[in-house]
Amino acid sequence: MTRSESTRHLLDEIGRLRSAIDASGDILYDWDLAADSIRWTGRSDVMLGLPADSLPVSGDGWNALLSPEDLPQRSRALNEHFAGRNEYDVEYRVRTDGGKLRWVHDRGSVELSAAGVPERMRGTLRCIDRRKQTEARLEYLVNYDELTGHFNKLRLREALQQSMARAERSGKTGAFVVIGIDKLGMINTAYGCESGDAILVDVARCLDDCLRMSDTVGRLGGDRFGIVLEGRDEGDADVVADRVLSSIRSLFVDIDAGRLHVSASAGIANYPSAGQNSLDIITHAESALLDAKAKGRDCVHAYEMTEEQRNEYRASVGIGAEVRQAIKEDRLTLAYQPLVDAKTGETNCYECLLRMYAPDGSLVPAGRFIPVVEKLGLMRAVDRRVLDLVLEDLERTPDVVLAFNISGLTVADRSWLRSLQSRLRDKRQIAERLILEITETASLYDNNESAKFVEAVRALGCRVAIDDFGAGYTTFHHLKILPVDIVKIDGEFVRDIQSSPDNQLFVRNLLSLAKTLNLETVAECVETREDSDFLKSEGVDLLQGYFFGKPDILPAWRTVDRIAVAGNAKGSGEPVNTDEAANQEPGHQDSAAAFLLPLPAIGQSR
């Protein structure tokens, strides 16, 4: 190839590269750090609205275009990259020729001199305005109702839970009011959804005008708004609700067909008297709203407990206080039930079942307090303590595999997940011996959220099981959606399976799907040899139940130090009760002692 042909070929290559860069919309830079000189390549006029001849030719000149808020972040990224600690990959805003700020993604790499001094920086800039706008919109929709601009249901519930927590600490009261627009469905049908939307917007403005700045308003969905009235007495809530309804009553919304008169009804639930967690309070307020509508609409109704409900509530509060104290005094412990390999009969792993020592040292099974704990909103604290206990066992015993159940609230608790991720970071050998069980009803609470949780847990090396499959409303379709490793067949389909053709059909269909999806299967509540033999013949992988072993707080592999501490909570020095009765599950005779307050025998064991 002649010199002229080589030159022409090189120019063609450069031309193609420039065309490709222009087509991509990116800008390339070559920054001589020693001379502080920058050369640019690309259509800066298109990307930044800055002609090529007006682009800064120095680092200081480029910094002058950056948003002052983003400059420190970009400087830190550069310094860390120059020091060899991180890649250079940063997003910031640049001021264009018209003064508008535009988001760019800056990614590059430094070249060092022979002495290790940063000498040259090369990289690319890409406009990411559209992505940032999308992210901002998604973030907005996560928190706010698109139509009215108020909190959405999730954020409103969080605000209510926070208000209830503050009320508990200060000993004050508050109220949650649900406002429901009367006959909005009929208006949508008769005049169109646009008319209904116009009413919702006007009612939202009306609520803003009626309430204090410290009151929180959100849209629960459909025709309903929720109001958190913090620091209000029960009588105050009635007055506020009456004022809101009176203001709405004066509204006349203009639509194409004319002017519409608007009215609304209200339901009130006071806290803490009507419930101990946000979900109960919202449910009770909406129940009161239905009563108000049943009374003829355009009126206020407050939720009231029956005497039986009040007695149950008082007992629940006592149990909740005892559980809180048990957590402080380290009186929660675990019982371990083996899961055996159906083919070999050897123990594969253990399920950890929660137990609590009463103040007198007697052992209380989870079925006696967990249902109350869930109602009172204490499940997150309990699940955090269970995680502590399980990880302690895994660290002490390097050859044991443990599984434990978490609640639906914990599946949606990002702080609990962050704690798990932090404690298992760089501990793959522990994570691989940990199985998290989520109930099928918990997995259905929010399918997308559950899927994200499962993926994050599996990324650590843990396995995930769906517990009690068949007890709720999970379909085989949901089983395909959630990326779990194990499915546990609910005991109701396992007990006396040989005499139930329907249960046999359910189990066979589940096993067929599990095999297709490469899922491990566990049969719970296996209590007879006949059931065991039948399940083995059908191809179940693991078996769990009294036939193979009851929950035991002191299996052979476990140390006794923690048991001794918990069992002698009162300092009596008496030996811990580990007899068979104390280890039994609800559904069998349970002779474990109750608390000083009566414990309602409700719910299932965890």
Side-chain angles (χ1 to χ4, degrees):
M1 181 183 295
T2 65
R3 175 176 291 184
S4 61
E5 288 174 335
S6 177
T7 301
R8 187 164 56 252
H9 178 73
L10 179 60
L11 291 174
D12 288 343
E13 283 292 318
I14 293 173
R16 281 194 292 272
L17 286 173
R18 285 187 178 276
S19 297
I21 293 168
D22 291 343
S24 72
D26 295 347
I27 300 175
L28 278 62
Y29 62 84
D30 185 345
W31 184 9
D32 184 335
L33 297 171
D36 192 17
S37 173
I38 304 178
R39 294 173 56 193
W40 303 92
T41 303
R43 294 290 303 277
S44 62
D45 56 332
V46 174
M47 180 175 146
L48 297 176
L50 294 170
D53 56 4
S54 66
L55 282 175
V57 295
S58 69
D60 288 340
W62 180 246
N63 285 342
L65 294 181
L66 267 64
S67 165
E69 296 177 3
D70 300 338
L71 185 57
Q73 176 190 356
R74 193 236 179 187
S75 297
R76 282 195 301 271
L78 276 174
N79 290 334
E80 290 180 1
H81 181 60
F82 290 165
R85 289 192 292 269
N86 289 315
E87 293 182 350
Y88 180 68
D89 192 327
V90 65
E91 298 174 356
Y92 52 84
R93 288 164 293 178
V94 178
R95 194 171 303 280
T96 66
D97 191 37
K100 179 182 176 182
L101 287 173
R102 178 162 291 179
W103 278 99
V104 297
H105 178 197
D106 186 354
R107 182 178 177 86
S109 180
V110 69
E111 292 181 8
L112 303 177
S113 68
V117 177
E119 193 172 57
R120 185 175 294 275
M121 182 82 178
R122 293 188 177 96
T124 62
L125 293 175
R126 171 168 293 179
C127 179
I128 55 172
D129 264 353
R130 185 173 299 176
R131 174 166 68 79
K132 285 293 184 179
Q133 290 167 2
T134 301
E135 289 175 356
R137 176 168 175 73
L138 291 175
E139 184 176 355
Y140 178 85
L141 293 177
V142 165
N143 297 291
Y144 297 95
D145 174 59
E146 187 174 16
L147 180 64
T148 65
H150 286 139
F151 278 171
N152 59 20
K153 184 175 182 178
L154 178 62
R155 281 300 308 277
L156 184 64
R157 182 180 169 185
E158 289 176 353
L160 174 59
Q161 191 67 51
Q162 292 166 3
S163 176
M164 294 178 69
R166 289 191 292 269
E168 183 179 11
R169 289 194 298 268
S170 64
K172 295 181 179 180
T173 60
F176 185 73
V177 181
V178 177
I179 304 293
I181 302 172
D182 295 332
K183 300 182 179 180
L184 185 64
M186 295 176 60
I187 293 172
N188 285 333
T189 301
Y191 301 106
C193 293
E194 294 82 1
S195 299
D197 288 348
I199 291 174
L200 287 166
V201 170
D202 282 356
V203 169
R205 292 173 183 157
C206 181
L207 294 176
D208 288 336
D209 294 338
C210 290
L211 301 171
R212 305 175 305 181
M213 292 292 292
S214 57
D215 297 328
T216 303
V217 183
R219 187 179 174 199
L220 288 169
D223 62 352
R224 304 180 322 285
F225 292 86
I227 308 169
V228 180
L229 302 176
E230 188 164 348
R232 301 268 198 170
D233 295 331
E234 293 189 7
D236 290 342
D238 290 336
V239 172
V240 172
D242 279 329
R243 185 170 68 244
V244 168
L245 296 194
S246 176
S247 179
I248 293 174
R249 204 176 294 127
S250 65
L251 280 178
F252 291 92
V253 180
D254 291 320
I255 63 172
D256 293 340
R259 176 170 286 190
L260 288 178
H261 171 73
V262 182
S263 70
S265 305
I268 300 173
N270 295 286
Y271 55 86
S273 61
Q276 289 290 302
N277 63 67
S278 58
L279 184 59
D280 282 348
I281 292 296
I282 293 174
T283 300
H284 293 159
E286 291 192 323
S287 174
L289 173 64
L290 292 177
D291 290 338
K293 289 181 178 288
K295 289 182 177 181
R297 298 184 175 87
D298 195 16
C299 64
V300 178
H301 186 80
Y303 174 80
E304 295 181 358
M305 287 184 175
T306 64
E307 189 59 33
E308 181 181 354
Q309 289 172 326
R310 289 186 186 280
N311 290 336
E312 183 180 344
Y313 171 74
R314 293 189 188 103
S316 297
V317 170
I319 294 171
E322 184 59 44
V323 171
R324 289 189 182 94
Q325 193 64 26
I327 294 174
K328 291 181 181 178
E329 296 177 359
D330 197 21
R331 288 193 276 113
L332 294 184
T333 191
L334 300 173
Y336 307 84
Q337 187 172 33
L339 282 70
V340 303
D341 188 298
K343 294 179 180 178
T344 66
E346 296 180 355
T347 299
N348 178 280
C349 61
Y350 294 85
E351 180 176 0
C352 303
L353 301 165
L354 186 63
R355 298 289 183 266
M356 178 167 61
Y357 286 98
D360 63 1
S362 58
L363 199 63
V364 183
R368 303 287 296 280
F369 61 90
I370 284 299
V372 175
V373 166
E374 289 176 334
K375 287 183 178 180
L376 297 180
L378 299 175
M379 209 56 243
R380 288 187 176 94
V382 171
D383 279 346
R384 283 194 290 270
R385 182 56 186 148
V386 171
L387 177 63
D388 292 339
L389 298 177
V390 172
L391 291 182
E392 285 175 16
D393 283 330
L394 290 173
E395 289 171 352
R396 292 175 180 176
T397 314
D399 57 349
V400 71
V401 179
L402 299 179
F404 72 101
N405 193 292
I406 60 174
S407 68
L409 288 174
T410 299
V411 170
D413 186 357
R414 295 180 182 177
S415 64
W416 189 92
L417 178 58
R418 285 195 296 269
S419 176
L420 179 70
Q421 291 170 328
S422 174
R423 298 183 66 173
L424 292 182
R425 186 175 293 117
D426 301 324
K427 294 182 178 180
R428 189 86 180 183
Q429 72 282 7
I430 291 179
E432 290 175 349
R433 294 186 287 114
L434 180 62
I435 302 170
L436 274 68
E437 299 183 7
I438 58 177
T439 61
E440 62 161 340
T441 48
S443 68
L444 277 174
Y445 183 76
D446 186 330
N447 239 343
N448 291 332
E449 193 70 27
S450 297
K452 292 178 183 176
F453 175 86
V454 170
E455 289 171 354
V457 169
R458 295 184 73 212
L460 296 172
C462 306
R463 286 178 287 167
V464 180
I466 288 187
D467 195 16
D468 300 332
F469 187 88
Y473 302 96
T474 306
T475 65
F476 290 113
H477 172 70
H478 290 111
L479 198 59
K480 294 179 182 179
I481 294 175
L482 288 175
V484 298
D485 305 278
I486 303 166
V487 57
K488 301 186 72 175
I489 308 167
D490 184 63
E492 291 300 317
F493 295 93
V494 173
R495 292 189 186 97
D496 302 321
I497 190 171
Q498 293 187 94
S499 61
S500 174
D502 290 340
N503 287 355
Q504 292 174 18
L505 179 61
F506 175 86
V507 170
R508 285 179 180 134
N509 287 336
L510 175 57
L511 293 175
S512 176
L513 177 63
K515 184 177 181 180
T516 303
L517 299 177
N518 197 29
L519 298 177
E520 199 169 16
T521 53
V522 179
E524 301 177 301
C525 300
V526 182
E527 300 182 350
T528 67
R529 180 174 297 280
E530 291 75 18
D531 290 343
S532 171
D533 290 342
F534 179 85
L535 292 163
K536 289 179 184 178
S537 67
E538 292 295 327
V540 174
D541 297 307
L542 300 175
L543 303 170
Q544 177 182 5
Y546 275 25
F547 181 69
F548 299 100
K550 297 177 181 179
D552 185 1
I553 63 171
L554 190 55
W557 54 268
R558 187 165 178 261
T559 56
V560 299
D561 51 349
R562 191 174 73 228
I563 299 175
V565 172
N568 297 322
K570 296 183 66 177
S572 63
E574 294 296 320
V576 177
N577 176 13
T578 61
D579 64 16
E580 183 176 291
N583 291 331
Q584 286 181 343
E585 294 289 284
H588 298 267
Q589 183 179 359
D590 186 350
S591 62
F595 296 128
L596 299 177
L597 287 169
L599 286 168
I602 54 177
Q604 295 297 318
S605 173
R606 285 168 53 77

